[in-house]
Amino acid sequence: LAGLALSLSSVMLMEYFGGRIRWEGWGQEPILGLPVYGAIPQIPRTEEHLVAWEEPESYPAEAIRALRTSIYLGLDSRPSPVLLIASPNPQDGKSLVVANLAAAMASQGQRVLLIDADLRAPRLQRYFSIEARGGLTELLIETKTDPTSVVQKTHIPNLDLIPAGARLTDPTLLLGSSRFKELLEQIKTGYDLVLLDGPAVLVVPDSLLLSGVADEVLLLVDAQSTSQRASLRARNLLVEQGKGNLSGIILNRVKPTTQSYYYGAAQKKR
């Protein structure tokens, strides 16, 4: 953990200078050496409003479904896979995309478990109007807690949520513990897919630890504000200090082009 903290400190000193990631439409070369799984336009930031569920004909909802298809193709029919989505910075819009992605997957009949693994600054609970009654923090601290006791049904059929629970200033020991791995193995058997929403890679080491329990990791980058340097550093951290299972990039807040920019699954090559 000391090594992770040292590396992250050096990243923060770099600041976020440099140009942004350029989106030129489907067919461009891989970004950061990785395939683009999806390109998502700006999603309205209204709380308790998931476009993938409530506005299925909208462009953002179509983009989310294209991302869903790319992910299914990449997972190669693995049973109950665990997918981590991380981002370089805290304001990249990741949690809103993850919440919509979970809704899109559940709407197709998949049994989805969404876990808010950002124990420092959780966000997912607000999108599902769920009251706090314990979550991942309590599950990891209180060893006798029944895992199913913190699983909450959402208003979307087939979609369950484990909220973060009590906020912690330093959850690294809990997220890197063998108990977390054991709990995931136990609870994921009741689902077709488990989605982990992790914190910013360039701020805390939590997502590097979470990559150790994930089958696949995707890096979400804000096309409007995240610099190439910050994106590259986040990518390198996940590759070099994570589990090595970083599979692709999600571009968020892309601007519309003359192409059908939101259809991505057919363009991704595996």
Short mmCIF file of all heavy atoms in Angstrom, two decimals, residues 11-42:
data_model
loop_
_atom_site.label_atom_id
_atom_site.label_comp_id
_atom_site.label_asym_id
_atom_site.label_seq_id
_atom_site.Cartn_x
_atom_site.Cartn_y
_atom_site.Cartn_z
N VAL A 11 1.79 11.12 -9.25
CA VAL A 11 0.82 11.44 -10.29
C VAL A 11 0.17 12.78 -10.01
O VAL A 11 0.00 13.61 -10.89
CB VAL A 11 -0.26 10.33 -10.36
CG1 VAL A 11 -1.40 10.77 -11.25
CG2 VAL A 11 0.34 9.05 -10.89
N MET A 12 -0.19 13.03 -8.74
CA MET A 12 -0.86 14.27 -8.40
C MET A 12 0.02 15.48 -8.66
O MET A 12 -0.46 16.55 -9.01
CB MET A 12 -1.28 14.24 -6.92
CG MET A 12 -2.32 13.18 -6.59
SD MET A 12 -3.87 13.44 -7.47
CE MET A 12 -4.44 14.93 -6.64
N LEU A 13 1.34 15.33 -8.53
CA LEU A 13 2.25 16.44 -8.77
C LEU A 13 2.31 16.84 -10.23
O LEU A 13 2.69 17.96 -10.56
CB LEU A 13 3.66 16.05 -8.29
CG LEU A 13 3.84 15.94 -6.77
CD1 LEU A 13 5.24 15.43 -6.44
CD2 LEU A 13 3.60 17.28 -6.10
N MET A 14 1.90 15.94 -11.12
CA MET A 14 1.97 16.24 -12.55
C MET A 14 0.91 17.25 -12.97
O MET A 14 1.03 17.87 -14.02
CB MET A 14 1.76 14.95 -13.35
CG MET A 14 2.87 13.94 -13.21
SD MET A 14 2.51 12.45 -14.15
CE MET A 14 2.57 13.11 -15.82
N GLU A 15 -0.13 17.40 -12.12
CA GLU A 15 -1.29 18.22 -12.48
C GLU A 15 -1.96 17.60 -13.70
O GLU A 15 -1.60 16.52 -14.16
CB GLU A 15 -0.90 19.67 -12.75
CG GLU A 15 -0.29 20.40 -11.57
CD GLU A 15 -1.29 20.59 -10.43
OE1 GLU A 15 -2.50 20.51 -10.68
OE2 GLU A 15 -0.85 20.77 -9.29
N TYR A 16 -2.94 18.25 -14.26
CA TYR A 16 -3.66 17.68 -15.40
C TYR A 16 -3.45 18.56 -16.63
O TYR A 16 -4.38 19.10 -17.19
CB TYR A 16 -5.15 17.54 -15.07
CG TYR A 16 -5.42 16.66 -13.89
CD1 TYR A 16 -6.48 16.91 -13.03
CD2 TYR A 16 -4.62 15.57 -13.63
CE1 TYR A 16 -6.74 16.09 -11.94
CE2 TYR A 16 -4.85 14.76 -12.54
CZ TYR A 16 -5.91 15.02 -11.71
OH TYR A 16 -6.14 14.21 -10.63
N PHE A 17 -2.19 18.73 -17.00
CA PHE A 17 -1.88 19.53 -18.17
C PHE A 17 -1.94 18.65 -19.43
O PHE A 17 -1.93 17.44 -19.37
CB PHE A 17 -0.50 20.16 -18.04
CG PHE A 17 -0.40 21.10 -16.87
CD1 PHE A 17 0.58 20.92 -15.93
CD2 PHE A 17 -1.29 22.14 -16.71
CE1 PHE A 17 0.69 21.77 -14.85
CE2 PHE A 17 -1.20 23.00 -15.64
CZ PHE A 17 -0.20 22.82 -14.70
N GLY A 18 -1.93 19.28 -20.59
CA GLY A 18 -1.93 18.55 -21.84
C GLY A 18 -3.28 18.59 -22.50
O GLY A 18 -4.28 18.92 -21.90
N GLY A 19 -3.30 18.22 -23.80
CA GLY A 19 -4.56 18.24 -24.54
C GLY A 19 -5.50 17.14 -24.11
O GLY A 19 -5.11 16.17 -23.46
N ARG A 20 -6.77 17.28 -24.49
CA ARG A 20 -7.76 16.28 -24.15
C ARG A 20 -7.72 15.13 -25.15
O ARG A 20 -7.17 15.24 -26.24
CB ARG A 20 -9.15 16.91 -24.13
CG ARG A 20 -9.33 17.96 -23.05
CD ARG A 20 -10.79 18.39 -22.96
NE ARG A 20 -11.27 18.98 -24.21
CZ ARG A 20 -11.19 20.27 -24.50
NH1 ARG A 20 -10.63 21.11 -23.64
NH2 ARG A 20 -11.64 20.73 -25.64
N ILE A 21 -8.34 14.03 -24.77
CA ILE A 21 -8.48 12.89 -25.67
C ILE A 21 -9.38 13.31 -26.84
O ILE A 21 -10.47 13.85 -26.64
CB ILE A 21 -9.11 11.69 -24.95
CG1 ILE A 21 -8.18 11.19 -23.83
CG2 ILE A 21 -9.43 10.57 -25.93
CD1 ILE A 21 -6.91 10.55 -24.33
N ARG A 22 -8.93 13.08 -28.05
CA ARG A 22 -9.71 13.49 -29.22
C ARG A 22 -10.60 12.35 -29.69
O ARG A 22 -10.16 11.22 -29.84
CB ARG A 22 -8.77 13.90 -30.35
CG ARG A 22 -7.97 15.15 -30.07
CD ARG A 22 -7.18 15.57 -31.29
NE ARG A 22 -8.06 15.88 -32.42
CZ ARG A 22 -7.62 16.17 -33.64
NH1 ARG A 22 -6.33 16.19 -33.89
NH2 ARG A 22 -8.47 16.45 -34.61
N TRP A 23 -11.86 12.66 -29.91
CA TRP A 23 -12.81 11.69 -30.43
C TRP A 23 -13.12 12.04 -31.88
O TRP A 23 -13.67 13.09 -32.18
CB TRP A 23 -14.08 11.70 -29.59
CG TRP A 23 -15.20 10.88 -30.17
CD1 TRP A 23 -16.42 11.34 -30.56
CD2 TRP A 23 -15.20 9.49 -30.44
NE1 TRP A 23 -17.19 10.31 -31.05
CE2 TRP A 23 -16.45 9.15 -30.99
CE3 TRP A 23 -14.24 8.48 -30.29
CZ2 TRP A 23 -16.79 7.86 -31.37
CZ3 TRP A 23 -14.57 7.19 -30.67
CH2 TRP A 23 -15.83 6.89 -31.19
N GLU A 24 -12.76 11.15 -32.78
CA GLU A 24 -12.93 11.40 -34.21
C GLU A 24 -13.97 10.47 -34.83
O GLU A 24 -14.09 10.40 -36.05
CB GLU A 24 -11.59 11.25 -34.93
CG GLU A 24 -10.53 12.24 -34.42
CD GLU A 24 -9.18 12.02 -35.05
OE1 GLU A 24 -9.03 11.00 -35.77
OE2 GLU A 24 -8.28 12.84 -34.84
N GLY A 25 -14.70 9.77 -34.01
CA GLY A 25 -15.73 8.87 -34.52
C GLY A 25 -15.23 7.43 -34.61
O GLY A 25 -14.03 7.15 -34.51
N TRP A 26 -16.16 6.53 -34.80
CA TRP A 26 -15.81 5.11 -34.88
C TRP A 26 -14.94 4.84 -36.11
O TRP A 26 -15.14 5.41 -37.16
CB TRP A 26 -17.07 4.26 -34.92
CG TRP A 26 -17.88 4.40 -33.68
CD1 TRP A 26 -19.08 5.02 -33.55
CD2 TRP A 26 -17.51 3.97 -32.38
NE1 TRP A 26 -19.49 4.98 -32.24
CE2 TRP A 26 -18.54 4.35 -31.50
CE3 TRP A 26 -16.40 3.29 -31.85
CZ2 TRP A 26 -18.52 4.08 -30.14
CZ3 TRP A 26 -16.37 3.02 -30.50
CH2 TRP A 26 -17.41 3.40 -29.66
N GLY A 27 -13.97 3.98 -35.90
CA GLY A 27 -13.04 3.66 -36.97
C GLY A 27 -11.67 4.25 -36.72
O GLY A 27 -10.70 3.90 -37.40
N GLN A 28 -11.55 5.15 -35.73
CA GLN A 28 -10.24 5.71 -35.41
C GLN A 28 -9.38 4.67 -34.71
O GLN A 28 -9.86 3.62 -34.29
CB GLN A 28 -10.37 6.95 -34.54
CG GLN A 28 -10.77 6.67 -33.10
CD GLN A 28 -10.87 7.94 -32.28
OE1 GLN A 28 -11.71 8.78 -32.54
NE2 GLN A 28 -10.02 8.08 -31.30
N GLU A 29 -8.11 4.96 -34.57
CA GLU A 29 -7.20 4.04 -33.91
C GLU A 29 -7.56 3.91 -32.43
O GLU A 29 -8.22 4.78 -31.86
CB GLU A 29 -5.76 4.55 -34.05
CG GLU A 29 -5.22 4.55 -35.48
CD GLU A 29 -5.18 3.16 -36.07
OE1 GLU A 29 -4.70 2.24 -35.37
OE2 GLU A 29 -5.63 2.98 -37.21
N PRO A 30 -7.13 2.81 -31.79
CA PRO A 30 -7.38 2.66 -30.35
C PRO A 30 -6.86 3.86 -29.57
O PRO A 30 -5.89 4.51 -29.97
CB PRO A 30 -6.61 1.39 -29.99
CG PRO A 30 -6.56 0.61 -31.27
CD PRO A 30 -6.44 1.64 -32.35
N ILE A 31 -7.49 4.17 -28.47
CA ILE A 31 -7.10 5.28 -27.61
C ILE A 31 -6.30 4.74 -26.43
O ILE A 31 -6.72 3.77 -25.78
CB ILE A 31 -8.34 6.04 -27.12
CG1 ILE A 31 -9.00 6.74 -28.32
CG2 ILE A 31 -7.98 7.06 -26.05
CD1 ILE A 31 -10.29 7.44 -27.98
N LEU A 32 -5.14 5.32 -26.19
CA LEU A 32 -4.24 4.86 -25.12
C LEU A 32 -3.86 3.40 -25.32
O LEU A 32 -3.58 2.68 -24.38
CB LEU A 32 -4.89 5.05 -23.75
CG LEU A 32 -5.37 6.46 -23.40
CD1 LEU A 32 -6.06 6.45 -22.04
CD2 LEU A 32 -4.21 7.44 -23.39
N GLY A 33 -3.88 2.97 -26.58
CA GLY A 33 -3.53 1.58 -26.87
C GLY A 33 -4.63 0.59 -26.56
O GLY A 33 -4.39 -0.62 -26.56
N LEU A 34 -5.85 1.09 -26.32
CA LEU A 34 -6.96 0.22 -25.92
C LEU A 34 -8.16 0.47 -26.82
O LEU A 34 -8.38 1.58 -27.29
CB LEU A 34 -7.35 0.49 -24.47
CG LEU A 34 -6.30 0.15 -23.41
CD1 LEU A 34 -6.67 0.80 -22.09
CD2 LEU A 34 -6.17 -1.36 -23.25
N PRO A 35 -8.99 -0.56 -27.05
CA PRO A 35 -10.20 -0.37 -27.87
C PRO A 35 -11.22 0.50 -27.13
O PRO A 35 -11.29 0.50 -25.91
CB PRO A 35 -10.72 -1.80 -28.06
CG PRO A 35 -10.18 -2.56 -26.90
CD PRO A 35 -8.84 -1.97 -26.61
N VAL A 36 -11.99 1.23 -27.89
CA VAL A 36 -13.07 2.06 -27.33
C VAL A 36 -14.33 1.21 -27.25
O VAL A 36 -14.85 0.76 -28.27
CB VAL A 36 -13.31 3.31 -28.19
CG1 VAL A 36 -14.48 4.12 -27.61
CG2 VAL A 36 -12.06 4.17 -28.24
N TYR A 37 -14.82 1.01 -26.04
CA TYR A 37 -16.03 0.20 -25.85
C TYR A 37 -17.30 1.01 -26.07
O TYR A 37 -18.34 0.46 -26.42
CB TYR A 37 -16.05 -0.37 -24.43
CG TYR A 37 -15.35 -1.69 -24.26
CD1 TYR A 37 -14.00 -1.83 -24.57
CD2 TYR A 37 -16.03 -2.80 -23.78
CE1 TYR A 37 -13.35 -3.03 -24.42
CE2 TYR A 37 -15.38 -4.02 -23.60
CZ TYR A 37 -14.05 -4.14 -23.92
OH TYR A 37 -13.41 -5.33 -23.77
N GLY A 38 -17.24 2.31 -25.83
CA GLY A 38 -18.43 3.11 -25.98
C GLY A 38 -18.11 4.59 -26.00
O GLY A 38 -17.08 5.02 -25.47
N ALA A 39 -18.98 5.37 -26.63
CA ALA A 39 -18.86 6.82 -26.67
C ALA A 39 -20.20 7.39 -26.25
O ALA A 39 -21.20 7.25 -26.96
CB ALA A 39 -18.48 7.30 -28.07
N ILE A 40 -20.23 8.02 -25.09
CA ILE A 40 -21.48 8.44 -24.47
C ILE A 40 -21.60 9.96 -24.55
O ILE A 40 -20.70 10.68 -24.11
CB ILE A 40 -21.53 8.03 -22.97
CG1 ILE A 40 -21.07 6.58 -22.80
CG2 ILE A 40 -22.93 8.25 -22.41
CD1 ILE A 40 -21.93 5.56 -23.49
N PRO A 41 -22.70 10.47 -25.09
CA PRO A 41 -22.92 11.93 -25.08
C PRO A 41 -23.27 12.39 -23.67
O PRO A 41 -23.42 11.58 -22.75
CB PRO A 41 -24.09 12.11 -26.05
CG PRO A 41 -24.83 10.81 -25.98
CD PRO A 41 -23.80 9.75 -25.76
N GLN A 42 -23.39 13.69 -23.51
CA GLN A 42 -23.74 14.24 -22.20
C GLN A 42 -25.08 13.69 -21.72
O GLN A 42 -26.08 13.75 -22.43
CB GLN A 42 -23.83 15.77 -22.27
CG GLN A 42 -24.22 16.44 -20.97
CD GLN A 42 -23.11 16.40 -19.94
OE1 GLN A 42 -21.98 16.80 -20.21
NE2 GLN A 42 -23.44 15.90 -18.76
#
